[in-house]
Amino acid sequence: MNPIYKTVGVVGAGAMGRGIAQIATQAGSRVKLFDMQADAVSKAIAAVGAQWEKMAEKQRISPEQVAQYKQALQPAAQLADLADCDLVIEAIVERLDIKKSFFAELEALVQPTAVLVTNTSSLSVTAIASALKRPEQFAGYHFFNPVPLMKVVEVIAGIKTKPSICQDLAHYATQMGHKAVQAQDTPGFIVNHAGRGYGTEALRIVSEGIADFATIDRILKDQVGFKLGPFELMDLTALDVSHPVMESIYQQYYEEPRYRPSVITAQRLAGGIVGKKVGEGFYKYIEGVAQVPPEPPVPVVSDMPPVWVSTRAVRRAELLQLLKDLGAKIETGASPSAQALSIVAPLGFDVTTVAIVERLDPARTIGIDFLIDDKITKRRVLATNPATRADMRDAAHALFARDGKPVSVIRDSGGFVTQRVVATIVNIACDICQQGVCTPQDLETAVTLGLGYPMGPLMMGDKFGPTEILEVLFNVQTVYGDPRYRPSPWLRRRGAIGLSLSHVES
């Protein structure tokens, strides 16, 4: 292999720096690893060597390659040893003052043609470069942990970065076996920016007392297909990592409501309840296994009331067919009888609002989330309102669980759980495109590879309907009066005329 950068310096011997050093060496570069702690460098090089040996045992690389790689990965005793590097990748503490000071010192040592990059996840690339004499030679190069497995890297241009530098860095990422995505220098770049909706909206749902952590995780995994629920994910990444990122992006965007953090994570971080690594987060862990509370049992209902379905229900024909398949006695009148269980299926509105607008008896009214086709979901979600009678709640739960599909019953919420979380994710992604942070294609690639979503957020919007997502946002904003839910112009315009969010003509 003929790498674009022959000699590469990596600064920081933690997990991130170790991973970057590994893949840069495998790309054919001679790599020098430096850290202020010399023993950290020797341990990191030993760990990378052990990883190569395991790869050889699995016949993924040859013994000859192991020997070649070990020879090419060298320790740097002092920063001056990086003077001959074509590229230096920094992966140290996330503090602007420390990074600026470090790069000012490094720039004085290396060749004028050397490219300097930061692996920062949330700091401004332009701000870090502001103290440099050659800011045109500086860029962001954001990898994700674990580096050898997370196959995406964000290439971020500062205001003064030469375009050719980013092109070369993208090429080098490909040589390292990664997919490069290009991003403008904005808070959170692509992945951390696009990821704001999932956790913060789930936290808002919990803060409103709508459902508990486990229920929300189950709903979003079963209805949408996320591999991890938001609280499982925050436990895995740990709040001492994720909460400061929430606060950083919120502050850098001058308190933009879409990125508002939660007091829940702030309190838990203050109390040291940060996640799996300490044995307790949103879940408790015994020997690394989350202790998830069991689902409530399906109620036993001997006398099932007749069912009436709102004429304004989304996917009404499908909902009526489902009820027929479940053996419900369906009323077809213009309004429900005094005995009927009234089913509403709104987009964005809460059950209370729908009951009032449609002049239904709130005590006998239940909502169902029908944004997504019931055939492709693994869970049904019902919502009560504050006046819903317990017998009506139990009847609805028992009825919709008749075919064995799990049912979650939550308290009243504009947009249930899935609608508001999905709409928030899609809306933030659309605004990233509106701001020109990256191309729609790079956004989809970055999120699917960097966050592991079942699909890109723009594709998610297309799958569930741009017009429907737009309606959810308008109505949720009406319910809560919060500018957090105002639709991005990108979504508002494209959704209003039925255009795809993800397929954009150049």
Side-chain angles (χ1 to χ4, degrees):
M1 187 180 291
N2 186 26
I4 193 168
Y5 299 108
K6 307 296 183 185
T7 305
V8 175
V10 177
V11 179
M16 185 68 75
R18 188 167 66 239
I20 295 170
Q22 177 181 331
I23 64 170
T25 306
Q26 291 169 194
S29 300
R30 183 167 65 99
V31 178
K32 298 181 177 182
L33 182 61
F34 173 77
D35 195 284
M36 291 297 292
Q37 304 295 325
D39 61 333
V41 174
S42 58
K43 290 177 181 177
I45 290 177
V48 172
Q51 184 63 32
W52 284 327
E53 289 167 2
K54 288 181 181 178
M55 293 169 66
E57 290 173 6
K58 296 178 180 178
Q59 299 184 337
R60 291 167 56 190
I61 59 175
S62 67
E64 291 76 19
Q65 285 176 301
V66 173
Q68 177 187 339
Y69 294 159
K70 285 185 175 181
Q71 186 175 5
L73 178 56
Q74 305 167 357
Q78 54 190 354
L79 195 60
D81 291 343
L82 307 181
D84 63 340
C85 290
D86 308 310
L87 170 69
V88 180
I89 305 171
E90 166 270 314
I92 60 175
V93 64
E94 280 285 272
R95 277 185 50 184
L96 180 60
D97 57 338
I98 292 176
K99 288 183 189 289
K100 288 178 69 173
S101 174
F102 165 76
F103 278 110
E105 180 182 357
L106 179 64
E107 186 185 44
L109 299 173
V110 298
Q111 309 164 72
T113 57
V115 175
L116 307 182
V117 298
T118 175
N119 184 62
T120 183
S121 62
S122 60
L123 298 176
S124 167
V125 171
T126 299
I128 297 172
S130 63
L132 299 180
K133 296 178 180 178
R134 298 186 294 275
E136 69 277 4
Q137 295 288 115
F138 185 83
Y141 212 32
H142 181 214
F143 292 83
F144 296 82
N145 250 331
V147 177
L149 300 179
M150 298 292 285
K151 299 291 187 179
V152 64
V153 57
E154 295 174 319
V155 181
I156 303 105
I159 289 178
K160 295 185 178 180
T161 306
K162 286 195 300 187
S164 61
I165 295 295
C166 291
Q167 292 167 8
D168 288 346
L169 289 169
H171 183 202
Y172 188 53
T174 302
Q175 292 181 322
M176 290 187 286
H178 279 45
K179 176 69 176 177
V181 291
Q182 303 271 356
Q184 295 300 314
D185 186 17
T186 53
F189 313 129
I190 304 175
V191 173
N192 278 329
H193 188 168
R196 290 311 86 215
Y198 193 44
T200 57
E201 192 60 28
L203 286 162
R204 285 182 66 82
I205 293 168
V206 166
S207 71
E208 293 168 20
I210 291 162
D212 59 24
F213 308 130
T215 299
I216 294 170
D217 279 351
R218 288 184 182 114
I219 289 171
L220 291 168
K221 288 190 295 182
D222 289 351
Q223 285 207 316
V224 189
F226 290 102
K227 294 177 183 176
L228 293 174
F231 299 103
E232 292 174 324
L233 182 60
M234 283 186 276
D235 270 2
L236 186 63
T237 58
L239 293 184
D240 55 348
V241 174
S242 58
H243 183 78
V245 172
M246 291 182 203
E247 290 191 326
S248 173
I249 292 177
Y250 179 62
Q251 296 299 335
Q252 287 183 75
Y253 268 107
Y254 297 100
E255 301 184 353
E256 162 59 55
R258 290 190 184 111
Y259 314 128
R260 190 184 299 124
S262 171
V263 68
I264 294 173
T265 49
Q267 289 175 335
R268 286 172 170 264
L269 175 59
I273 309 173
V274 299
K276 183 177 180 179
K277 68 182 182 181
V278 298
E280 185 176 6
F282 295 105
Y283 299 94
K284 289 188 176 181
Y285 294 83
I286 298 178
E287 296 182 354
V289 178
Q291 305 302 295
V292 182
E295 292 201 55
V298 177
V300 177
V301 178
S302 56
D303 188 16
M304 189 67 68
V307 177
W308 178 87
V309 176
S310 166
T311 56
R312 302 182 188 181
V314 67
R315 298 180 183 270
R316 186 170 187 268
E318 297 170 33
L319 179 52
L320 285 167
Q321 185 59 52
L322 172 62
L323 288 166
K324 183 178 178 182
D325 294 342
L326 294 172
K329 181 182 177 182
I330 301 172
E331 292 189 356
T332 57
S335 59
S337 69
Q339 295 76 39
L341 166 64
S342 298
I343 303 293
V344 299
L347 288 177
F349 282 124
D350 56 2
V351 179
T352 300
T353 300
V354 175
I356 293 169
V357 169
E358 299 191 22
R359 298 183 178 180
L360 302 174
D361 179 0
R364 295 184 289 112
T365 303
I366 291 279
I368 184 168
D369 186 353
F370 239 56
L371 170 68
I372 304 173
D373 186 346
D374 185 73
K375 295 183 180 65
I376 63 173
T377 65
K378 297 179 180 178
R379 180 176 295 273
R380 298 182 184 117
V381 178
L382 306 177
T384 60
N385 67 75
T388 302
R389 291 194 330 231
D391 62 323
M392 289 293 158
R393 179 198 63 212
D394 290 349
H397 188 169
L399 173 60
F400 282 102
R402 273 183 176 174
D403 59 356
K405 185 174 283 191
V407 173
S408 291
V409 182
I410 63 173
R411 294 185 180 92
D412 208 359
S413 163
F416 298 89
V417 171
T418 293
Q419 288 182 22
R420 61 192 286 185
V421 171
V422 167
T424 301
I425 290 170
V426 173
N427 195 36
I428 289 173
C430 287
D431 217 51
I432 289 173
C433 294
Q434 184 69 42
Q435 293 176 38
V437 173
C438 62
T439 65
Q441 293 75 22
D442 275 0
L443 171 64
E444 298 291 272
T445 298
V447 171
T448 50
L449 293 178
L451 294 176
Y453 285 5
M455 65 197 86
L458 299 178
M459 183 63 72
M460 193 180 294
D462 283 343
K463 180 175 181 179
F464 302 140
T467 304
E468 286 75 12
I469 296 295
L470 185 60
E471 184 176 349
V472 168
L473 288 168
F474 278 137
N475 293 342
V476 171
Q477 188 178 10
T478 298
V479 171
Y480 290 104
D482 192 336
R484 171 184 180 85
Y485 302 108
R486 72 192 188 282
S488 164
W490 179 280
L491 173 60
R492 184 171 59 81
R493 293 170 183 139
R494 302 182 74 83
I497 56 180
L499 287 181
S500 167
L501 302 178
S502 59
H503 294 91
V504 181
E505 297 295 330
S506 58

